């Protein structure tokens, strides 16, 4: 135990006292267990192997207060992709806000509920899935989340059903506190969906700890885009777990353009043959940003493929971490698994720690990984300069092009353009 | 227009150009020939502003101004252009965005507004026709996956778009088939005026049948060891470089 967790223990006790109505719900023992696990785990120090290169403790020197949303605050919600027709789910400080949400697909209400609603009803369906993928015994922030998250998003698409419009989940953090938000997503057999996630902070600093569990049933498909772009002093932690049944496909793009500390854990497990996933990431660190992507693809079944492509631009004193694990279990013959991590260091003081981890126990497997890091190509910069483009702008053009490869992987064109606008702005470019 | 006086250049302490002199006036075409490794591309790069090279002595004056004081992009704005021997592939930077950026940067430096989209398209269409370049290439990344000949034509296209005063063409003819060679030469000839000048680096007299030079220089051991008119190129074609080397070493 390295850190005094008393403030959180007190906060939990207080919350528990107010949970009277939920004492009969299955959520109650789960929360107690999660808190007990969190008390054992605490905040990870960088002596912990999985947290070696990212000094998360720096951001938890003093424990941020846990958001305690009792009544919904009235806020002026900033616009996000206003012109995109979508089903919009808004949570404020981790609690579903009906007032700010709006659905365009008819009947979307029957596929979406707030988790709190499900807990109150002690709905057995939710407990078939909740906390089954995250490991609160090992994952510090998953335990913290399970203990404190009061509400969240529960999307359960039936079989053979695909909403016409994308689903946007916006999590608003209203104060300089820690919000624990939660998503539970089940995509039914042969159904498909598009989810776009974003955190909005109303203050100039905030903490957001998200836990997301995604189940893809047979032949289901999900496009999942996570946008982390608020230029604020934010600490964003994402714990995302995906379980795929046979013939399913998961496509993720995680775009981390701003944020002082970002840690994305993205774990995908195959529980059936012929699964496929594409995990793409773009990160751009500046000042003293820390951006850490921890990826795991667990090939447990034969005939599956996986692709990881993460690209990073690191400027100033920023640091990036890429940790990409590929497990290929004994049964997982005919696996095709690829991983690539490419980095451009825009400053001498920026750094990247990249670590591929391949553990292969099957013999008929195609696996490849590669990592590069370096400066921008001098030849290319000189070529552009001789065409009248200043060195600064040449750097911006080449960096933008480097980043754009990931932007193009985003399923939705409006979202692509949204990200491009931010990049152009960051690089002070007009095209 | 261009006055190079006693230019000495080295890289990592290894001397490449040694007291080189060259004078180019508006309206002229100069050909530079010379054996492999004699320093032709180095000279071209130093004029364009590549900073990997150390200039140990001498000066380069361009339109009365000290060229060595300017950044490469400033030289470009003032009308210096280098067609690369090996054009660089730049993945992800689209031809269109690149060309627009190049045009607009120059316009900005000259105090002009950005080019209107319609005018830009018209201009690029015209110039592409001039060098007979496939319009499909415009939607691709800059030089990425272009064939050798396509890259060279692209250099001429850029030259035509940027309308330089001093164009240095480093082996633009290498790797071109006969038809392409004619097209490229045609492009150059149609851009020739009494105001601008060309320095054409080549190994082959053949190009000089199409682009007729006023002067031919031989670069050897980092110096211009011999200059003459176009007949010098014919002589080289006939006899090779041995006699030049012998003369120099004597
Ligand atoms: N960056 C560099 N580092 C080390 N040596 C260099 C570098 N650039 C050029 N040189 C050397 O300088 C000499 C001149 O090279 P340069 O490319 O200018 O020759 P060239 O006359 O253009 O030859 P070619 O006809 O083959 O194109 C060569 O010996 C080359 O190896
Ligand atoms: Mg050369």
């Amino acid at each position: 135990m390295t850190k005094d967790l008393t403030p959180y223990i007190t906060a939990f006790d207080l919350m528990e006292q107010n949970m009277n109505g939920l004492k009969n719900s299955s959520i109650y023992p789960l929360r107690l267990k999660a808190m007990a696990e969190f008390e054992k785990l605490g905040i990870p120090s960088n002596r912990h192997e999985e947290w070696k290169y990212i000094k998360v403790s720096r951001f938890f020197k003093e424990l941020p207060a846990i958001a305690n949303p009792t009544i919904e605050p009235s806020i002026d919600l900033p616009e996000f992709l206003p012109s995109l027709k979508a089903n919009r789910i808004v949570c404020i400080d981790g609690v579903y806000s009906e007032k700010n949400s709006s659905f365009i697909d008819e009947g979307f209400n029957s596929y979406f509920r707030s988790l709190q609603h499900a807990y109150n009803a002690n709905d057995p369906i939710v407990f078939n899935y909740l906390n089954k993928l995250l490991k609160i015994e090992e994952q510090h922030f998953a335990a913290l989340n399970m203990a404190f998250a009061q509400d969240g998003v529960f999307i359960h698409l039936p079989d053979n059903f695909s909403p016409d419009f994308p689903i946007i989940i916006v999590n608003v953090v209203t104060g300089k506190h820690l919000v624990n938000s939660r998503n539970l997503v089940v995509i039914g057999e042969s159904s498909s969906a598009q989810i776009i996630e974003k955190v909005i902070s109303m203050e100039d600093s905030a903490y957001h700890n998200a836990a997301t569990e995604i189940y893809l049933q047979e032949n289901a498909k999900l496009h999942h885009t996570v946008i982390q772009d608020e230029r604020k002093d934010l600490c964003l932690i994402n714990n995302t777990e995906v379980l795929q049944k046979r013939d399913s496909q998961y496509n993720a793009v995680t775009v981390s353009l701003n944020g002082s500390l970002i840690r994305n854990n993205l774990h995908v497990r195959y529980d059936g043959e012929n699964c496929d996933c594409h995990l793409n990431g773009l990160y751009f660190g500046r000042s003293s940003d820390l951006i850490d992507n921890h990826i795991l693809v667990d090939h447990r079944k034969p005939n599956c493929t996986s692709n990881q492509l993460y690209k990073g631009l690191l400027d100033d004193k920023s640091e990036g971490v890429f940790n990409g694990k590929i497990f290929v279990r004994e049964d997982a013959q005919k696996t095709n698994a690829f991983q690539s991590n490419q980095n451009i260091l825009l400053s001498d003081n920026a750094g990247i720690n990249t670590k591929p981890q391949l553990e292969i126990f099957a013999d008929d497997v195609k696996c490849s990984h590669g990592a590069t890091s370096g400066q921008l190509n001098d030849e290319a910069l000189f070529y552009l300069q001789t065409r009248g483009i200043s060195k600064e702008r040449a750097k911006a053009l080449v960096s933008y092009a480097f980043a754009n490869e990931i932007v193009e992987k985003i399923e939705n064109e409006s979202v692509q353009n949204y990200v491009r606008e931010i990049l152009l702005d960051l690089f002070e470019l007009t095209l | 227009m261009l006055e190079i006086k006693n230019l000495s250049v080295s890289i990592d302490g290894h001397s490449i150009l040694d007291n080189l002199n060259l004078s180019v006036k508006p309206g002229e075409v100069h050909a530079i020939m010379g054996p492999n490794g004699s320093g032709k591309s180095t000279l071209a790069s130093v004029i364009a502003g590549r900073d990997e090279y150390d200039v140990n002595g001498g000066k380069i004056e361009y339109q009365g101004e000290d060229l060595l004081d300017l950044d490469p992009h400033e030289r470009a704005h003032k009308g210096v252009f280098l067609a690369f021997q090996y054009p660089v592939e730049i993945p992800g930077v689209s031809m269109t965005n690149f060309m627009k950026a190049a045009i607009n940067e120059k316009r900005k430096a000259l105090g002009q507004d950005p080019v209107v989209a319609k005018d830009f398209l018209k201009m690029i269409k015209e110039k592409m026709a001039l060098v007979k370049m496939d319009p499909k290439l415009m939607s691709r990344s800059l030089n990425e996956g272009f064939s050798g000949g396509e890259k060279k034509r692209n250099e001429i296209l850029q030259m035509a778009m940027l309308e330089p005063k001093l164009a240095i063409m480093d082996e633009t003819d290498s790797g071109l088939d006969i038809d392409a060679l004619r097209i490229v030469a045609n492009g150059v000839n149609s851009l020739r005026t009494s105001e601008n000048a060309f320095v054409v680096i080549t190994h082959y007299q053949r190009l000089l049948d199409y682009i007729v030079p006023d002067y031919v220089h031989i670069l050897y051991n980092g110096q211009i060891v011999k200059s003459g008119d176009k007949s010098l190129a014919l002589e080289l074609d006939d006899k090779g470089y041995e006699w030049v080397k012998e003369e120099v070493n004597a």
Side-chain angles (χ1 to χ4, degrees):
Chain A
M1 175 74 62
T2 51
K3 173 157 231 70
D4 181 15
L5 300 174
T6 311
Y8 284 0
I9 296 171
T10 314
F12 188 79
D13 288 344
L14 207 72
M15 197 179 80
E16 206 192 328
Q17 285 162 29
N18 297 327
M19 273 200 300
N20 285 333
L22 279 177
K23 288 230 160 100
N24 297 323
S25 167
S26 309
I27 191 66
Y28 187 67
L30 252 181
R31 281 188 183 149
L32 289 183
K33 169 136 193 334
M35 189 61 202
E37 295 297 344
F38 178 69
E39 282 181 46
K40 277 189 252 165
L41 292 165
I43 302 293
S45 80
N46 52 304
R47 281 190 299 274
H48 192 290
E49 183 61 27
E50 296 293 315
W51 295 87
K52 201 162 157 183
Y53 298 108
I54 181 169
K55 291 183 186 64
V56 72
S57 49
R58 193 170 103 195
F59 288 75
F60 286 85
K61 270 199 190 98
E62 261 172 62
L63 292 178
I66 303 241
N68 183 20
T70 40
I71 42 164
E72 187 177 327
S74 74
I75 51 158
D76 253 337
L77 195 67
E79 284 190 328
F80 175 57
L81 295 168
S83 58
L84 180 63
K85 281 190 173 174
N87 301 294
R88 290 166 188 272
I89 303 170
V90 174
C91 294
I92 298 176
D93 288 336
V95 173
Y96 171 59
S97 163
E98 191 176 348
K99 196 171 75 191
N100 288 292
S101 302
S102 58
F103 307 131
I104 159 164
D105 266 304
E106 216 167 303
F108 190 75
N109 258 318
S110 50
Y111 319 122
F112 161 75
R113 272 174 300 159
S114 75
L115 280 171
Q116 200 165 40
H117 186 275
Y119 299 158
N120 285 334
N122 204 18
D123 180 347
I125 296 174
V126 80
F127 295 103
N128 284 342
Y129 298 108
L130 188 76
N131 200 49
K132 295 284 195 272
L133 302 181
L134 287 158
K135 294 197 176 70
I136 54 174
E137 304 80 13
E138 297 168 16
Q139 296 170 288
H140 309 68
F141 288 98
L144 180 66
N145 182 289
M146 192 67 252
F148 284 100
Q150 298 190 19
D151 194 3
V153 171
F154 180 30
I155 294 166
H156 190 177
L157 293 187
D159 296 345
N160 302 303
F161 175 80
S162 305
D164 291 332
F165 297 97
I167 302 162
I168 298 180
I169 303 174
V170 172
N171 269 289
V172 185
V173 183
T174 63
K176 297 185 178 185
H177 48 221
L178 169 68
V179 166
N180 291 287
S181 76
R182 206 159 178 111
N183 300 313
L184 181 58
V185 176
V186 182
I187 311 288
E189 271 181 48
S190 300
S191 298
S192 72
Q194 213 185 103
I195 294 180
I196 301 145
E197 278 196 82
K198 162 159 168 94
V199 173
I200 292 178
S201 168
M202 305 301 288
E203 292 283 342
D204 51 15
S205 73
Y207 292 74
H208 188 254
N209 176 32
T212 299
E213 292 171 290
I214 296 171
Y215 295 81
L216 300 183
Q217 310 295 33
E218 287 181 15
N219 198 33
K221 188 172 183 173
L222 178 66
H223 293 285
H224 188 193
T225 307
V226 176
I227 312 264
Q228 302 169 321
D229 67 328
E230 299 252 301
R231 178 77 268 180
K232 287 174 177 169
D233 193 10
L234 300 189
C235 171
L236 304 174
I237 297 168
N238 259 326
N239 310 278
T240 305
E241 301 280 335
V242 182
L243 185 70
Q244 293 187 232
K245 298 277 187 200
R246 65 171 302 142
D247 300 320
S248 65
Q249 192 184 43
Y250 177 65
N251 296 323
V253 184
T254 306
V255 180
S256 313
L257 300 180
N258 278 315
S260 298
L261 179 135
I262 294 179
R263 167 64 176 250
N264 296 314
N265 294 324
L266 176 55
H267 301 164
V268 177
R269 290 189 178 77
Y270 290 159
D271 190 24
E273 291 193 32
N274 199 28
C275 291
D276 180 31
C277 76
H278 293 260
L279 311 179
N280 299 296
L282 168 65
Y283 45 96
F284 183 17
R286 284 171 301 147
S287 59
S288 49
D289 294 347
L290 293 170
I291 306 177
D292 179 340
N293 282 291
H294 263 64
I295 316 298
L296 163 69
V297 181
D298 190 354
H299 284 264
R300 294 165 173 236
K301 298 282 153 137
N303 297 314
C304 296
T305 57
S306 67
N307 287 279
Q308 301 173 36
L309 175 61
Y310 273 71
K311 294 180 94 172
L313 288 157
L314 296 155
D315 203 352
D316 304 325
K317 288 186 288 183
S318 66
E319 280 177 54
V321 180
F322 177 80
N323 186 299
K325 287 196 190 102
I326 300 175
F327 288 163
V328 182
R329 312 263 169 177
E330 225 176 317
D331 276 351
Q333 299 296 358
K334 306 270 181 213
T335 288
N336 270 322
F338 301 100
Q339 178 189 92
S340 166
N341 175 227
Q342 304 167 15
N343 297 282
I344 292 181
L345 302 176
L346 295 167
S347 128
D348 292 340
N349 299 316
I352 174 76
N353 272 294
T354 174
K355 186 176 168 197
Q357 260 175 286
L358 274 55
E359 293 185 26
I360 301 172
F361 302 99
D363 41 35
D364 188 7
V365 165
K366 263 193 218 143
C367 231
S368 78
H369 69 93
T372 59
S373 81
Q375 269 95 39
L376 291 170
N377 177 350
D378 278 336
E379 286 271 346
L381 295 181
F382 178 61
Y383 186 76
L384 295 173
Q385 283 175 278
T386 62
R387 278 23 178 182
I389 298 167
S390 70
K391 192 163 193 170
E392 279 313 302
R393 267 185 74 94
K395 281 184 182 174
L397 265 179
V398 176
S399 301
Y400 174 81
F402 175 80
N404 195 39
E405 186 187 354
I406 300 293
V407 180
E408 280 171 0
K409 310 265 185 198
I410 298 174
E411 172 72 7
N412 191 289
E413 209 169 309
S414 306
V415 184
Q416 284 188 5
N417 289 334
Y418 173 88
V419 175
R420 284 199 189 101
E421 288 288 315
I422 300 170
L423 286 172
L424 290 175
D425 196 51
L426 288 173
F427 292 123
E428 294 175 37
L429 277 177
T430 43
L431 291 181
Chain B
M1 167 176 263
L2 181 72
E3 291 291 335
I4 301 179
K5 291 207 183 98
N6 302 320
L7 183 70
S8 294
V9 170
S10 65
I11 188 157
D12 300 332
H14 167 78
S15 163
I16 303 176
L17 300 180
D18 176 22
N19 269 305
L20 183 140
N21 291 287
L22 179 68
S23 169
V24 178
K25 295 191 180 57
E28 292 178 348
V29 173
H30 291 242
I32 297 183
M33 305 182 80
N36 292 132
S38 57
K40 301 180 298 295
S41 293
T42 302
L43 174 63
S45 297
V46 171
I47 296 172
R50 178 111 208 205
D51 60 9
E52 273 77 357
Y53 297 99
D54 300 317
V55 175
N56 309 114
K59 61 180 176 183
I60 307 180
E61 246 176 42
Y62 171 71
Q63 298 184 321
E65 207 177 343
D66 184 355
L67 200 62
L68 294 173
D69 265 357
L70 302 177
D71 285 336
H73 71 281
E74 296 171 319
R75 300 182 196 196
H77 296 163
K78 289 180 191 285
V80 177
F81 182 87
L82 169 62
F84 280 60
Q85 181 175 3
Y86 304 108
V88 186
E89 298 197 11
I90 309 189
V93 174
S94 83
M95 273 291 294
T96 311
N97 285 344
F98 157 72
M99 215 54 255
K100 226 187 265 171
I103 298 268
N104 283 336
E105 289 292 300
K106 181 171 182 183
R107 292 178 68 94
K108 196 162 85 190
L110 299 176
Q112 298 166 344
D113 286 336
V115 65
V116 181
K118 209 179 77 194
D119 298 345
F120 174 77
L121 288 176
K122 187 168 161 249
M123 184 169 168
I124 200 128
K125 236 176 156 172
E126 244 173 62
K127 306 293 185 187
M128 287 187 91
L130 182 72
V131 297
K132 299 217 164 62
M133 201 164 116
D134 184 351
K136 277 202 219 96
L137 292 177
M138 277 316 280
S139 57
R140 302 240 309 251
S141 288
L142 181 50
N143 289 327
E144 194 184 22
F146 283 26
S147 76
E150 286 169 342
K151 282 180 184 163
K152 294 300 173 86
R153 277 185 221 207
N154 193 13
E155 295 296 285
I156 304 301
L157 171 76
Q158 292 170 38
M159 184 169 89
M161 290 290 287
L162 294 167
E163 298 175 337
K165 294 204 178 76
L166 172 69
I168 300 149
M169 300 170 60
D170 193 357
E171 295 199 27
T172 305
D173 55 333
S174 301
L176 290 183
D177 63 44
I178 286 289
D179 291 340
L181 187 70
R182 276 201 203 103
I183 291 161
V184 164
N186 228 341
V188 172
N189 287 329
S190 70
L191 296 169
R192 265 180 95 163
T193 68
S194 58
E195 309 283 301
N196 58 17
F198 291 84
V199 175
V200 180
I201 296 169
T202 183
H203 286 296
Y204 307 107
Q205 125 74 22
R206 193 181 60 186
L207 176 73
L208 306 179
D209 285 340
Y210 298 104
I211 305 173
V212 182
D214 301 295
Y215 299 93
V216 174
H217 309 279
I218 300 173
L219 185 56
Y220 176 59
N221 273 349
Q223 289 183 334
I224 288 182
V225 292
K226 208 170 184 63
S227 298
D229 61 12
K230 62 182 183 208
S231 63
L232 181 56
L234 285 167
E235 199 176 346
L236 284 176
D237 209 36
D238 204 30
K239 301 199 274 184
Y241 286 110
E242 255 346 281
W243 65 279
V244 183
K245 292 181 184 172
E246 272 163 27
E247 250 183 60
V248 172
N249 295 332

